Amino acid sequence: MFPVARAAQSLVARGIQHTAIRQAHRKHEPTFHDKYGTMVLLSGAAMFSAVWTYVLTQLKIEWGFSPVGRITPREWRE
């Protein structure tokens, strides 16, 4: 390998190592997801459950049960 190329490669590698060390020793500041991620997830799940509980219990939804055998025809009046 040429001396110039070897020197350039070592400079690039050294720069990458310095960057990695700097980031590893930096204090980690919590992000929005670190602070509130679980609460947002739980509140979304609670809202989802509340809405579907209302829909399934309060609205008069017929779930496609067949009336065959439950409905008897009336007699025809002439």
Side-chain angles (χ1 to χ4, degrees):
M1 188 180 277
F2 296 112
V4 174
R6 187 179 306 150
Q9 184 182 14
S10 69
L11 282 175
V12 170
R14 195 175 309 140
I16 292 172
Q17 288 172 348
H18 284 300
T19 303
I21 290 170
R22 192 175 340 121
Q23 288 179 351
H25 287 91
R26 189 174 59 156
K27 243 185 177 178
H28 176 68
E29 297 174 4
T31 63
F32 176 84
H33 297 290
D34 292 335
K35 288 182 184 178
Y36 308 110
T38 305
M39 288 306 297
V40 170
L41 179 69
L42 292 176
S43 63
M47 187 67 180
F48 177 85
S49 299
V51 167
W52 277 106
T53 300
Y54 173 78
V55 167
L56 295 175
T57 58
Q58 298 299 316
L59 298 179
K60 304 297 182 203
I61 298 175
E62 287 293 328
W63 293 105
F65 297 119
S66 175
V68 174
R70 292 188 293 155
I71 298 175
T72 56
R74 287 191 233 162
E75 291 293 325
W76 182 260
R77 285 189 255 165
E78 290 188 35

